[in-house]
Amino acid sequence: MSTGTGSRTALVEDLMERFPGVPREAVFKEDLLRGGVAFDASALSDNEDGEVKPKSYFIFSFDHGTLPELGEAALRRPPEEIILTGGPYDLRRTVVSVRVNPNSPYRVAADEHGVLGLYLDGKRIADVGVPPMPEYYRHKLSNGKSVMEVAPTIQWGYLIYLTVFRVCQYFGVKEECQYCDINHNWRQHKAAGRPYTGVKDVEEVLEALEIIDRYDTQKVSTAYTLTGGAITSKVAGRDEADFYGHYAKAIEERFPDRWIGKVVAQALPKDDVQRFKDYGVKIYHPNFEVWDEYLFKLHCPGKERYVGRDEWHRRILDSAEVFGPRNVIPNFVAGVEMAEPFGFKTVDEAIASTTEGLRFFMSNGITPRFTTWCPEPTTPLGKTNPDGAPLEYHIRLLQAYRQTMEDFGLSSPPGYGQPGPGRAVFSVSSFMDSLPADESYVDNEIAAATVEQA
Ligand code: SF4
């Protein structure tokens, strides 16, 4: 099946052979997430006027080019996600977040019958499904804003992603995390004349949720995440805990327990964390970003300066006393530890370091999760590492993650839907695809499958 030594196909097939314990679906998914995918004009959406749910740019750009570099994909958005199935590798249903890269060896295109496929090195490797336009995206708020702009859903409709603060108060190269393009993404959407609200009003968030609740009759949406940039001073007169917390409070008062409430915020002092809990938040994500001490200080200069790595970790452990360790799920950006020129030079070293971090948290009952690093070109690390981390690193991380979880008797974290190949919906890394299926798992995923087939 290989197109020859040195091709991307050869790389993928070699890794599949060397790591048979990692599902082949996860190998493709990681490669698509780290390196992006090109879209033929036949596979683009008609933005908010068509039948396909378009990419919402829910927080970062997650693209390998700036908007002006994406060609037609900047005018007619690609789909938010794609689903891979079948093909010569007989793939089980795999949901992949869309990261556009016009130069990728992966390409999504329609054939002469209009049927979408994924092509690698010119050969068709999978059928491609795209998310249907959800009914709630067809209804506007009373101020004219779209639901996609205020409360987009991702993970095949499972998660409502509420980036209520679209910029970060860590600003400029001396403070911004070196892999993060949140501030650039805000600027490029403004420059393109797209609607892109910097600070979302709590009433408009509630109105968007009202619309989702009304039209999501099968209750596919199961969770919401409140997130945005770090707040080092105040936004709208509120500090970070108060700012993100006041949305949670309003949502839980209006829609008690309708969704699993999650907050991504900095590692805050225990009293602030308690406020999140009191407001009805169920899951707290104080992301630790990268484990290695030197690399954390280098890549997260703002966080190091305002909080510091040791204190950050201490606060994560403290928050487990408030939320319970299962409900504290810190994220890390998988791959940045191999970014040149300062990162680990070998996959062995990078995996050893990250596993040390996993063991630190998991030995305390806390299950981290990760997103696959997308080297956006306007970030310092993306500029020097346009190809991201080696695919082997990502595959071995999946192996190490699963092994460490087993060592500490832990299972997949709550609020992510079903684990297992063919079942997972988490779209920005394949950590859920590569965990064992749980036959006793029951939640709204059954409803999600129904919508997909409809
Ligand atoms: S804290 Fe870092 S990762 Fe988070 S939004 Fe700010 S710059 Fe980006």
Side-chain angles (χ1 to χ4, degrees):
M1 207 176 296
S2 165
T3 57
T5 317
S7 72
R8 192 70 152 260
T9 307
L11 171 72
V12 166
E13 291 186 349
D14 174 58
L15 289 167
M16 283 176 176
E17 208 177 302
R18 285 169 54 209
F19 300 98
V22 175
R24 48 183 48 195
E25 291 83 358
V27 178
F28 280 118
K29 182 164 169 174
E30 288 299 319
D31 206 18
L32 286 162
L33 290 172
R34 87 185 171 112
V37 55
F39 275 82
D40 191 74
S42 59
L44 294 172
S45 81
D46 290 321
N47 301 320
E48 289 176 85
D49 303 319
E51 299 303 314
V52 173
K53 184 187 193 189
K55 175 164 169 154
S56 62
Y57 290 84
F58 53 88
I59 182 163
F60 312 120
S61 76
F62 284 130
D63 283 336
H64 290 252
T66 60
L67 278 178
E69 291 165 349
L70 300 186
E72 194 163 350
L75 302 172
R76 291 172 53 220
R77 298 178 184 220
E80 183 78 87
E81 284 145 351
I82 53 174
I83 276 194
L84 309 179
T85 48
Y89 301 92
D90 198 19
L91 301 182
R92 289 161 286 188
R93 172 190 187 270
T94 305
V95 184
V96 188
S97 188
V98 165
R99 298 173 172 185
V100 184
N101 179 359
N103 301 317
S104 172
Y106 291 94
R107 182 167 208 85
V108 178
D111 65 15
E112 65 274 22
H113 306 293
V115 179
L116 292 178
L118 177 67
Y119 296 79
L120 171 58
D121 295 328
K123 286 182 70 177
R124 196 176 201 280
I125 59 162
D127 300 330
V128 168
V130 290
M133 181 70 81
E135 183 57 32
Y136 47 78
Y137 270 19
R138 299 188 193 277
H139 301 266
K140 296 250 189 262
L141 276 63
S142 53
N143 62 8
K145 289 188 182 178
S146 72
V147 171
M148 183 182 85
E149 150 67 359
V150 177
T153 57
I154 59 172
Q155 297 170 19
W156 216 253
Y158 182 91
L159 180 69
I160 305 168
Y161 208 87
L162 301 170
T163 308
V164 287
F165 182 42
R166 293 266 213 185
V167 288
C168 181
Q169 289 188 341
Y170 292 137
F171 209 83
V173 78
K174 293 208 173 112
E175 289 197 339
E176 286 170 358
C177 300
Q178 305 289 289
Y179 45 80
C180 175
D181 78 347
I182 192 170
N183 289 328
H184 167 78
N185 193 35
W186 184 81
R187 283 191 294 270
Q188 74 165 357
H189 278 73
K190 286 288 177 198
R194 292 181 174 187
Y196 209 73
T197 310
V199 179
K200 290 177 185 167
D201 183 76
V202 72
E203 285 305 320
E204 71 184 26
V205 169
L206 291 175
E207 193 183 344
L209 292 177
E210 192 91 55
I211 296 171
I212 293 176
D213 189 44
R214 190 176 330 138
Y215 294 103
D216 177 22
T217 49
Q218 300 196 59
K219 297 206 170 359
V220 175
S221 63
T222 306
Y224 65 83
T225 291
L226 282 163
T227 185
I231 297 172
T232 52
S233 56
K234 300 220 161 151
V235 172
R238 298 175 188 272
D239 64 19
E240 184 162 323
D242 195 22
F243 177 77
Y244 289 111
H246 93 285
Y247 293 93
K249 183 167 182 286
I251 294 169
E252 293 305 321
E253 281 171 2
R254 180 78 64 90
F255 308 96
D257 290 329
R258 164 64 181 85
W259 297 282
I260 302 166
K262 310 179 186 184
V263 168
V264 180
Q266 300 201 81
L268 296 172
K270 205 170 173 183
D271 287 354
D272 285 343
V273 175
Q274 184 65 51
R275 278 150 79 191
F276 288 150
K277 171 89 170 140
D278 293 345
Y279 290 150
V281 172
K282 300 286 190 307
I283 289 171
Y284 177 42
H285 298 282
N287 300 339
F288 72 92
E289 315 295 15
V290 56
W291 173 253
D292 180 75
E293 184 176 353
Y294 171 69
L295 294 176
F296 178 86
K297 291 178 177 175
L298 206 63
H299 295 340
C300 305
K303 291 179 172 180
E304 173 60 20
R305 188 165 131 214
Y306 282 81
V307 182
R309 176 178 179 269
D310 292 347
E311 178 63 13
W312 195 281
H313 294 168
R314 236 188 322 273
R315 290 180 182 182
I316 293 177
L317 298 188
D318 282 354
S319 63
E321 290 172 21
V322 176
F323 274 94
R326 285 293 282 161
N327 301 321
V328 175
I329 306 172
N331 189 61
F332 63 99
V333 186
V336 294
E337 59 271 58
M338 293 205 72
E340 292 183 3
F342 303 109
F344 293 110
K345 303 290 178 235
T346 66
V347 173
D348 281 354
E349 290 170 295
I351 294 293
S353 167
T354 303
T355 303
E356 183 184 284
L358 290 174
R359 295 186 73 81
F360 172 81
F361 290 114
M362 289 189 184
S363 64
N364 284 286
I366 293 171
T367 313
R369 60 134 223 230
F370 51 94
T371 48
T372 301
W373 175 38
C374 175
E376 288 106 338
T378 58
T379 63
L381 293 186
K383 271 192 192 106
T384 45
N385 298 267
D387 297 329
L391 182 56
E392 180 174 337
Y393 163 83
H394 291 287
I395 303 313
R396 288 179 54 188
L397 176 63
L398 294 170
Q399 204 180 35
Y401 181 81
R402 180 171 170 168
Q403 184 60 55
T404 312
M405 206 176 232
E406 282 170 15
D407 290 350
F408 291 101
L410 295 168
S411 57
S412 64
Y416 286 87
Q418 289 204 54
R423 304 175 183 218
V425 291
F426 188 70
S427 55
V428 287
S429 90
S430 47
F431 87 92
M432 288 293 284
D433 302 74
S434 60
L435 292 174
D438 176 359
E439 296 306 333
S440 60
Y441 191 95
V442 181
D443 82 357
N444 279 4
E445 293 309 310
I446 295 152
T450 314
V451 166
E452 187 200 328
Q453 285 153 14

